[in-house]
Coordinates of all heavy atoms in Angstrom, one line a residue:
C26 N 105.7 103.1 56.6 CA 104.5 104.0 56.8 C 104.6 104.7 58.1 O 104.5 104.1 59.1 CB 103.3 103.2 56.6 SG 101.8 104.3 57.0
A27 N 104.8 106.0 58.1 CA 105.0 106.7 59.4 C 103.8 106.8 60.2 O 103.9 106.5 61.5 CB 105.4 108.2 59.1
S28 N 102.7 106.8 59.8 CA 101.5 106.9 60.6 C 101.1 105.5 61.3 O 100.8 105.6 62.4 CB 100.2 107.3 59.8 OG 100.0 106.4 58.8
L29 N 101.4 104.4 60.6 CA 101.3 103.2 61.3 C 102.3 103.0 62.4 O 102.0 102.6 63.5 CB 101.5 102.0 60.3 CG 101.3 100.6 60.8 CD1 100.0 100.4 61.4 CD2 101.8 99.5 59.8
W30 N 103.5 103.4 62.2 CA 104.6 103.4 63.2 C 104.0 104.2 64.4 O 104.2 103.7 65.6 CB 105.8 103.9 62.7 CG 106.8 104.2 63.8 CD1 107.4 105.3 64.2 CD2 107.5 103.2 64.6 NE1 108.2 105.2 65.3 CE2 108.3 103.9 65.5 CE3 107.3 101.8 64.8 CZ2 109.1 103.2 66.6 CZ3 108.0 101.2 65.8 CH2 108.9 101.8 66.7
H31 N 103.5 105.4 64.3 CA 103.1 106.1 65.4 C 102.0 105.5 66.1 O 101.9 105.6 67.3 CB 102.7 107.5 65.0 CG 103.9 108.4 64.7 ND1 104.2 108.9 63.5 CD2 104.9 108.8 65.5 CE1 105.3 109.6 63.6 NE2 105.8 109.5 64.8
A32 N 101.1 104.8 65.5 CA 100.0 104.1 66.1 C 100.6 103.1 67.0 O 100.1 102.8 68.1 CB 99.0 103.5 65.0
V33 N 101.5 102.3 66.6 CA 102.2 101.2 67.3 C 102.9 101.8 68.5 O 102.8 101.3 69.6 CB 103.0 100.4 66.4 CG1 103.9 99.4 67.3 CG2 102.3 99.6 65.4
A34 N 103.6 102.9 68.2 CA 104.3 103.5 69.3 C 103.4 104.0 70.4 O 103.7 103.8 71.6 CB 105.2 104.6 68.8
S35 N 102.3 104.6 70.1 CA 101.4 105.1 71.1 C 100.8 104.0 71.9 O 100.5 104.0 73.1 CB 100.4 106.0 70.6 OG 99.5 105.4 69.7
W36 N 100.4 102.8 71.1 CA 99.9 101.7 71.9 C 100.9 101.2 72.9 O 100.6 100.8 74.0 CB 99.5 100.6 70.8 CG 98.9 99.4 71.6 CD1 97.6 99.2 71.9 CD2 99.6 98.2 72.0 NE1 97.5 97.9 72.5 CE2 98.6 97.4 72.6 CE3 100.9 97.9 72.0 CZ2 99.0 96.2 73.2 CZ3 101.4 96.6 72.5 CH2 100.3 95.8 73.0
T37 N 102.1 101.0 72.4 CA 103.1 100.6 73.4 C 103.3 101.5 74.6 O 103.4 101.0 75.7 CB 104.5 100.5 72.7 OG1 104.4 99.7 71.5 CG2 105.6 99.9 73.6
W38 N 103.2 102.8 74.4 CA 103.3 103.8 75.4 C 102.1 103.5 76.5 O 102.4 103.5 77.7 CB 103.3 105.2 74.9 CG 103.3 106.2 75.9 CD1 102.1 106.9 76.4 CD2 104.4 106.7 76.6 NE1 102.7 107.8 77.5 CE2 104.1 107.7 77.5 CE3 105.7 106.4 76.5 CZ2 104.9 108.4 78.3 CZ3 106.7 107.2 77.3 CH2 106.2 108.1 78.2
D39 N 100.9 103.3 76.0 CA 99.9 103.1 76.9 C 100.0 101.8 77.6 O 99.7 101.7 78.9 CB 98.5 103.0 76.0 CG 98.1 104.4 75.5 OD1 98.6 105.5 76.1 OD2 97.4 104.4 74.5
A40 N 100.5 100.8 77.0 CA 100.5 99.4 77.6 C 101.6 99.4 78.7 O 101.5 98.6 79.6 CB 100.8 98.4 76.6
Q41 N 102.6 100.3 78.6 CA 103.7 100.2 79.6 C 103.1 100.5 81.1 O 103.8 100.2 82.1 CB 104.8 101.1 79.3 CG 104.5 102.5 79.1 CD 104.7 103.4 80.3 OE1 105.3 103.0 81.3 NE2 104.0 104.5 80.4
D42 N 101.9 101.1 81.3 CA 101.4 101.3 82.6 C 101.0 100.0 83.2 O 100.7 99.9 84.3 CB 100.2 102.2 82.5 CG 100.7 103.7 82.5 OD1 101.8 104.0 83.0 OD2 99.9 104.6 81.9
E43 N 100.8 99.0 82.4 CA 100.2 97.7 82.9 C 101.1 96.5 83.0 O 100.8 95.5 83.6 CB 98.9 97.4 82.1 CG 97.9 98.3 82.3 CD 96.8 98.4 81.2 OE1 96.7 97.3 80.5 OE2 96.3 99.4 80.9
T44 N 102.3 96.6 82.3 CA 103.1 95.6 82.3 C 104.5 96.1 82.5 O 104.9 97.2 82.2 CB 103.1 94.8 81.0 OG1 103.6 95.7 79.9 CG2 101.8 94.1 80.6
C45 N 105.4 95.2 83.2 CA 106.8 95.6 83.4 C 107.5 95.7 82.1 O 107.4 94.9 81.2 CB 107.4 94.5 84.3 SG 109.2 94.8 84.6
G46 N 108.3 96.8 82.0 CA 109.0 97.0 80.7 C 110.2 96.1 80.5 O 110.7 96.1 79.4
I47 N 110.5 95.4 81.4 CA 111.6 94.5 81.4 C 111.1 93.0 81.1 O 111.6 92.4 80.2 CB 112.5 94.6 82.6 CG1 113.1 96.0 82.7 CG2 113.7 93.5 82.6 CD1 113.9 96.3 84.0
C48 N 110.3 92.6 82.0 CA 109.9 91.1 81.9 C 108.5 91.0 81.2 O 108.1 89.9 80.8 CB 109.8 90.4 83.2 SG 108.6 91.2 84.3
R49 N 107.9 92.2 81.0 CA 106.5 92.1 80.3 C 105.5 91.4 81.0 O 104.4 91.1 80.6 CB 106.7 91.5 78.9 CG 107.7 92.2 78.0 CD 107.2 93.6 77.6 NE 108.3 94.3 76.9 CZ 108.1 95.6 76.6 NH1 107.0 96.2 76.7 NH2 109.1 96.2 75.9
M50 N 105.7 91.2 82.3 CA 104.7 90.6 83.2 C 103.7 91.6 83.6 O 104.1 92.8 83.9 CB 105.3 89.9 84.4 CG 106.3 88.8 84.0 SD 105.5 87.4 83.2 CE 104.8 86.6 84.8
A51 N 102.4 91.3 83.7 CA 101.4 92.3 84.1 C 101.6 92.6 85.6 O 102.1 91.9 86.3 CB 100.0 91.6 84.0
F52 N 101.3 93.9 85.9 CA 101.6 94.4 87.2 C 100.5 94.0 88.2 O 100.6 94.2 89.4 CB 101.5 95.9 87.2 CG 102.8 96.5 86.6 CD1 102.8 97.8 86.0 CD2 104.0 95.9 86.8 CE1 104.0 98.3 85.5 CE2 105.2 96.4 86.3 CZ 105.1 97.7 85.7
D53 N 99.5 93.1 87.8 CA 98.6 92.6 88.8 C 99.2 91.2 89.3 O 98.5 90.5 90.2 CB 97.2 92.4 88.2 CG 97.1 91.6 87.0 OD1 98.2 91.0 86.6 OD2 96.1 91.4 86.5
G54 N 100.3 90.8 88.8 CA 101.0 89.6 89.4 C 102.3 89.8 90.1 O 102.3 90.7 91.0
C55 N 103.3 89.2 89.6 CA 104.6 89.5 90.2 C 105.6 89.2 89.0 O 105.4 88.6 88.0 CB 105.0 88.8 91.4 SG 105.1 87.0 91.2
C56 N 106.9 89.5 89.3 CA 107.9 89.4 88.3 C 108.3 87.8 88.2 O 107.9 87.0 89.1 CB 109.1 90.1 88.7 SG 110.2 89.5 89.9
P57 N 109.0 87.4 87.2 CA 109.3 86.0 86.9 C 110.0 85.4 88.1 O 110.1 84.1 88.2 CB 109.9 85.9 85.7 CG 109.7 87.3 84.9 CD 109.4 88.2 86.0
D58 N 110.8 86.3 88.8 CA 111.6 85.7 89.8 C 110.9 85.4 91.1 O 111.4 84.8 92.1 CB 112.8 86.6 90.2 CG 113.8 86.7 89.1 OD1 113.8 85.8 88.2 OD2 114.7 87.6 89.0
C59 N 109.6 85.9 91.1 CA 108.8 85.8 92.4 C 107.6 84.9 92.2 O 106.5 85.4 92.5 CB 108.4 87.2 92.8 SG 109.8 88.1 93.3
K60 N 107.7 83.8 91.7 CA 106.5 82.9 91.6 C 106.0 82.4 92.8 O 104.9 81.9 92.9 CB 106.9 81.8 90.5 CG 107.0 82.4 89.1 CD 106.5 81.6 88.0 CE 106.4 82.3 86.6 NZ 107.6 82.1 85.9
L61 N 106.9 82.3 93.8 CA 106.5 81.7 95.1 C 105.5 82.7 95.8 O 105.8 83.9 95.9 CB 107.8 81.5 96.0 CG 108.8 80.6 95.5 CD1 109.9 80.6 96.2 CD2 108.3 79.2 95.3
S62 N 104.5 82.0 96.3 CA 103.5 82.9 97.1 C 104.2 83.5 98.2 O 105.1 82.9 98.9 CB 102.3 82.1 97.3 OG 102.7 81.0 98.3
G63 N 103.8 84.7 98.7 CA 104.2 85.4 99.8 C 105.4 86.2 99.4 O 105.8 87.0 100.3
D64 N 105.9 86.2 98.2 CA 107.1 87.1 97.8 C 106.5 88.4 97.7 O 105.5 88.7 97.2 CB 107.6 86.7 96.5 CG 108.9 85.7 96.6 OD1 109.6 85.8 97.7 OD2 109.1 84.8 95.8
D65 N 107.3 89.4 98.3 CA 107.0 90.8 98.1 C 107.6 91.3 96.9 O 108.8 91.2 96.7 CB 107.4 91.5 99.4 CG 107.0 93.0 99.4 OD1 105.8 93.1 98.8 OD2 107.7 93.9 99.9
C66 N 106.8 91.8 95.9 CA 107.3 92.2 94.6 C 106.8 93.6 94.3 O 105.9 93.7 93.5 CB 106.9 91.2 93.6 SG 107.9 91.2 92.1
P67 N 107.4 94.6 94.9 CA 107.0 95.9 94.7 C 107.2 96.5 93.3 O 108.2 96.0 92.7 CB 107.7 96.7 95.8 CG 109.0 96.0 96.0 CD 108.7 94.6 95.8
L68 N 106.5 97.4 93.0 CA 106.8 98.2 91.7 C 107.5 99.5 92.1 O 107.3 100.0 93.2 CB 105.4 98.7 91.0 CG 104.5 97.5 90.7 CD1 103.3 98.1 90.0 CD2 105.2 96.5 89.8
I69 N 108.4 99.9 91.2 CA 109.1 101.2 91.3 C 108.9 102.0 90.1 O 108.7 101.4 89.0 CB 110.5 101.1 91.8 CG1 111.3 100.2 90.7 CG2 110.6 100.3 93.1 CD1 112.1 101.1 89.7
W70 N 109.1 103.3 90.2 CA 109.0 104.2 89.0 C 110.3 104.8 88.9 O 111.0 105.2 89.8 CB 107.9 105.1 89.2 CG 106.6 104.7 88.8 CD1 106.0 104.9 87.6 CD2 105.6 103.8 89.6 NE1 104.7 104.3 87.6 CE2 104.5 103.5 88.8 CE3 105.8 103.3 90.9 CZ2 103.5 102.8 89.2 CZ3 104.7 102.5 91.3 CH2 103.6 102.2 90.5
S71 N 110.6 105.1 87.6 CA 111.9 105.9 87.3 C 111.5 107.3 87.3 O 110.3 107.7 87.2 CB 112.4 105.4 85.9 OG 111.3 105.6 84.9
A72 N 112.6 108.1 87.3 CA 112.3 109.5 87.1 C 111.7 109.8 85.8 O 111.0 110.9 85.8 CB 113.7 110.3 87.1
C73 N 111.9 109.0 84.8 CA 111.1 109.3 83.5 C 109.7 108.7 83.5 O 109.1 108.6 82.5 CB 111.9 108.7 82.4 SG 112.5 107.0 82.6
N74 N 109.3 108.2 84.6 CA 107.9 107.7 84.8 C 107.6 106.4 84.2 O 106.5 106.3 83.6 CB 106.9 108.8 84.4 CG 106.6 109.8 85.4 OD1 106.3 109.4 86.6 ND2 106.5 111.1 85.1
H75 N 108.5 105.6 84.0 CA 108.3 104.3 83.6 C 108.3 103.3 84.8 O 109.1 103.5 85.9 CB 109.3 103.8 82.6 CG 109.2 104.6 81.3 ND1 110.2 105.3 80.8 CD2 108.1 104.5 80.5 CE1 109.6 105.8 79.6 NE2 108.5 105.3 79.4
A76 N 107.4 102.3 84.9 CA 107.3 101.5 86.0 C 107.8 100.1 85.8 O 107.8 99.5 84.6 CB 105.8 101.3 86.3
F77 N 108.5 99.6 86.8 CA 109.1 98.2 86.7 C 108.8 97.5 87.9 O 108.8 98.1 89.0 CB 110.6 98.4 86.3 CG 110.9 99.2 85.1 CD1 111.2 100.4 85.3 CD2 110.9 98.6 83.9 CE1 111.4 101.3 84.1 CE2 111.1 99.3 82.7 CZ 111.3 100.7 82.9
Y78 N 109.0 96.3 87.9 CA 109.1 95.5 89.1 C 110.6 95.9 89.7 O 111.5 95.9 89.0 CB 109.0 93.9 89.0 CG 107.6 93.5 88.8 CD1 107.3 92.9 87.6 CD2 106.6 93.7 89.8 CE1 105.9 92.4 87.5 CE2 105.5 93.2 89.6 CZ 105.0 92.6 88.4 OH 103.8 92.1 88.3
L79 N 110.6 96.1 91.1 CA 111.8 96.4 91.7 C 113.0 95.4 91.3 O 114.1 95.7 91.0 CB 111.7 96.5 93.2 CG 113.0 96.8 94.0 CD1 113.5 98.2 93.6 CD2 112.7 96.7 95.5
Q80 N 112.6 94.1 91.4 CA 113.7 93.2 91.2 C 114.2 93.1 89.7 O 115.3 92.9 89.4 CB 113.2 91.8 91.6 CG 112.8 91.7 93.1 CD 112.6 90.3 93.6 OE1 113.2 89.4 93.0 NE2 111.9 90.2 94.6
C81 N 113.3 93.4 88.8 CA 113.7 93.4 87.5 C 114.6 94.7 87.2 O 115.7 94.5 86.5 CB 112.5 93.7 86.6 SG 111.4 92.2 86.5
I82 N 114.3 95.8 87.7 CA 115.2 97.0 87.4 C 116.5 96.8 88.3 O 117.6 97.2 87.8 CB 114.4 98.3 87.8 CG1 115.2 99.4 87.0 CG2 114.4 98.6 89.3 CD1 115.1 99.3 85.5
L83 N 116.5 96.2 89.4 CA 117.7 95.9 90.1 C 118.7 95.1 89.3 O 119.9 95.3 89.2 CB 117.5 95.4 91.5 CG 116.9 96.4 92.5 CD1 116.7 95.7 93.8 CD2 117.7 97.6 92.7
K84 N 118.0 94.1 88.7 CA 119.0 93.2 87.9 C 119.4 94.0 86.6 O 120.6 93.7 86.2 CB 118.0 91.9 87.4 CG 118.2 90.8 88.3 CD 117.8 89.5 87.6 CE 116.3 89.5 87.2 NZ 115.9 88.1 86.8
W85 N 118.5 94.8 86.0 CA 118.9 95.5 84.9 C 120.0 96.4 85.2 O 121.0 96.5 84.4 CB 117.6 96.2 84.4 CG 118.0 97.3 83.4 CD1 118.1 98.6 83.6 CD2 118.1 97.0 81.9 NE1 118.4 99.1 82.4 CE2 118.4 98.3 81.4 CE3 117.9 95.9 81.1 CZ2 118.6 98.4 79.9 CZ3 118.2 96.1 79.8 CH2 118.5 97.3 79.3
V86 N 120.0 97.2 86.3 CA 121.0 98.2 86.6 C 122.2 97.5 86.9 O 123.3 97.9 86.3 CB 120.5 99.0 87.8 CG1 121.6 99.8 88.4 CG2 119.3 99.9 87.4
S87 N 122.2 96.3 87.5 CA 123.5 95.7 87.9 C 124.1 95.0 86.6 O 125.2 94.7 86.6 CB 123.3 94.7 89.0 OG 122.5 93.6 88.6
S88 N 123.3 94.8 85.6 CA 123.8 94.1 84.4 C 124.5 95.2 83.4 O 125.1 94.7 82.5 CB 122.6 93.4 83.7 OG 121.9 94.3 83.0
Q89 N 124.3 96.5 83.7 CA 124.8 97.5 82.8 C 126.2 97.7 83.2 O 126.5 97.9 84.5 CB 124.0 98.7 82.9 CG 122.5 98.6 82.6 CD 122.4 98.1 81.2 OE1 122.6 98.8 80.2 NE2 121.8 96.8 81.0
S90 N 127.2 97.8 82.2 CA 128.6 97.9 82.7 C 128.9 99.3 83.1 O 129.8 99.6 83.9 CB 129.5 97.5 81.5 OG 129.0 98.2 80.3
S91 N 128.2 100.4 82.6 CA 128.5 101.7 83.0 C 127.2 102.3 83.5 O 126.3 101.5 84.1 CB 129.0 102.5 81.8 OG 128.1 102.5 80.8
Q92 N 126.8 103.5 83.3 CA 125.5 104.1 83.7 C 124.4 103.4 83.0 O 124.4 103.2 81.9 CB 125.6 105.6 83.2 CG 124.2 106.3 83.3 CD 123.8 106.6 84.7 OE1 124.5 106.9 85.5 NE2 122.5 106.1 84.9
A93 N 123.4 103.0 83.9 CA 122.3 102.3 83.4 C 121.3 103.4 82.7 O 121.3 104.5 83.2 CB 121.6 101.7 84.5
H94 N 120.6 102.8 81.8 CA 119.5 103.7 81.1 C 118.2 103.0 81.3 O 118.1 101.7 81.2 CB 119.9 103.9 79.7 CG 121.1 104.8 79.6 ND1 122.4 104.3 79.7 CD2 121.3 106.2 79.4 CE1 123.2 105.4 79.6 NE2 122.5 106.4 79.3
C95 N 117.2 103.8 81.2 CA 115.9 103.2 81.4 C 115.6 102.3 80.1 O 115.8 102.7 78.9 CB 114.8 104.3 81.3 SG 113.1 103.8 81.2
P96 N 115.1 101.0 80.3 CA 114.9 100.1 79.4 C 113.7 100.6 78.3 O 113.7 100.1 77.2 CB 114.5 98.8 80.0 CG 114.9 99.0 81.4 CD 114.8 100.5 81.7
M97 N 113.0 101.4 78.8 CA 111.9 101.9 78.0 C 112.2 103.1 77.0 O 111.9 103.1 75.9 CB 110.6 102.4 78.9 CG 110.1 101.2 79.7 SD 109.4 99.9 78.7 CE 107.9 100.6 78.1
C98 N 112.9 104.1 77.6 CA 113.1 105.3 76.9 C 114.6 105.7 76.8 O 114.9 106.7 76.2 CB 112.4 106.4 77.5 SG 113.0 107.0 79.2
R99 N 115.4 104.9 77.5 CA 117.0 105.1 77.3 C 117.4 106.4 77.9 O 118.6 106.8 77.8 CB 117.3 105.1 75.8 CG 117.1 103.8 75.1 CD 118.1 102.8 75.5 NE 117.6 101.4 75.3 CZ 118.2 100.3 75.7 NH1 119.4 100.4 76.3 NH2 117.7 99.1 75.5
R100 N 116.6 106.9 78.7 CA 117.2 108.1 79.5 C 118.1 107.5 80.6 O 117.9 106.4 81.1 CB 116.0 108.9 80.1 CG 115.4 109.8 79.1 CD 114.6 110.9 79.8 NE 113.2 110.9 79.2 CZ 112.3 111.6 79.6 NH1 112.5 112.5 80.6 NH2 111.1 111.6 79.0
E101 N 118.9 108.3 81.2 CA 119.8 108.0 82.3 C 118.9 107.5 83.4 O 117.9 108.2 83.8 CB 120.6 109.2 82.7 CG 121.9 108.8 83.3 CD 122.8 109.9 83.5 OE1 123.6 110.3 82.4 OE2 123.0 110.5 84.6
W102 N 119.2 106.3 84.0 CA 118.4 105.7 85.0 C 118.4 106.4 86.3 O 119.5 106.7 86.8 CB 118.7 104.3 85.2 CG 117.8 103.8 86.3 CD1 118.2 103.5 87.6 CD2 116.4 103.3 86.1 NE1 117.2 103.1 88.3 CE2 116.0 103.0 87.4 CE3 115.5 103.3 85.2 CZ2 114.7 102.6 87.7 CZ3 114.3 102.8 85.4 CH2 113.8 102.6 86.7
Q103 N 117.3 106.8 86.8 CA 117.2 107.4 88.2 C 115.9 106.8 88.8 O 114.9 106.8 88.1 CB 117.2 108.9 88.2 CG 118.6 109.5 87.8 CD 118.5 111.0 88.0 OE1 117.6 111.7 87.4 NE2 119.4 111.6 88.6
F104 N 115.9 106.4 90.0 CA 114.7 106.1 90.8 C 113.8 107.4 91.0 O 114.5 108.5 91.3 CB 115.0 105.5 92.0 CG 115.5 104.1 91.9 CD1 116.9 103.8 91.9 CD2 114.6 103.0 91.7 CE1 117.3 102.5 91.7 CE2 115.0 101.7 91.6 CZ 116.5 101.5 91.5
K105 N 112.6 107.2 90.8 CA 111.7 108.5 91.1 C 111.9 108.8 92.6 O 111.7 107.9 93.4 CB 110.3 108.1 90.7 CG 109.3 109.3 90.7 CD 108.1 109.1 90.0 CE 107.3 110.3 89.9 NZ 106.2 110.1 89.0
E106 N 111.9 110.1 92.8 CA 112.1 110.6 94.2 C 110.7 110.4 95.0 O 109.7 110.6 94.4 CB 112.5 112.1 94.2 CG 113.8 112.3 93.5 CD 115.0 112.2 94.3 OE1 114.9 112.5 95.6 OE2 116.1 111.8 93.9
Ligands
ZN18 ZN1 109.8 92.8 85.2
ZN19 ZN1 109.6 89.9 91.9
ZN20 ZN1 112.0 105.8 80.9

């Protein structure tokens, strides 16, 4: 059913503002690698306006064998200027 799919897709789009697109952790906490208190766990944005924890996207980019793509929308990965 196409209309149901669109409803789910738009909900996912809205939710990506509040959770990391890689680890799905909420942005009011920190990424899974930073459970220790005092860790600095900044958020970064891609050129395509998707937000991730910095450490998550650094791991993601280094895990890609060639050009990395945004985990959310598959555009070519670029940090937002
Ligand atoms: Zn993450
Ligand atoms: Zn972290
Ligand atoms: Zn994206």
